[in-house]
Amino acid sequence: MKNSMIIMGVTVILVIFLFWGLIGSSKAAEAGIDCDVGIGDDGSVFCWKWHQNILGDIGEAIDDAWNN
């Protein structure tokens, strides 16, 4: 019983980890986003940590100015 709970817990953690990587890879595919930690060319397969680059900052500033 205890072993099955451990296996189930590890499985849930892995699924969450992979799901987060897929979300990150779709974010990294957008213009203005860079993948910091991932698999593939610039996180094309999985990306677990990403940030907005200077292009994204400029786009956000233009969008804010346009909408206000």
Side-chain angles (χ1 to χ4, degrees):
M1 183 74 167
K2 187 175 181 181
N3 288 339
S4 64
M5 293 296 286
I6 292 172
I7 291 171
M8 188 182 329
V10 169
T11 303
V12 168
I13 290 170
L14 284 174
V15 167
I16 291 170
F17 187 68
L18 291 175
F19 186 67
W20 186 256
L22 289 173
I23 290 172
S25 68
S26 68
K27 291 294 270 183
E30 297 174 7
I33 305 291
D34 286 337
C35 181
D36 297 327
V37 178
I39 297 174
D41 296 334
D42 280 342
S44 61
V45 179
F46 291 109
C47 182
W48 291 281
K49 184 177 182 297
W50 59 90
H51 73 276
Q52 186 170 329
N53 60 23
I54 189 73
L55 180 63
D57 291 339
I58 292 170
E60 188 175 300
I62 291 171
D63 194 39
D64 288 343
W66 186 263
N67 289 329
N68 288 329

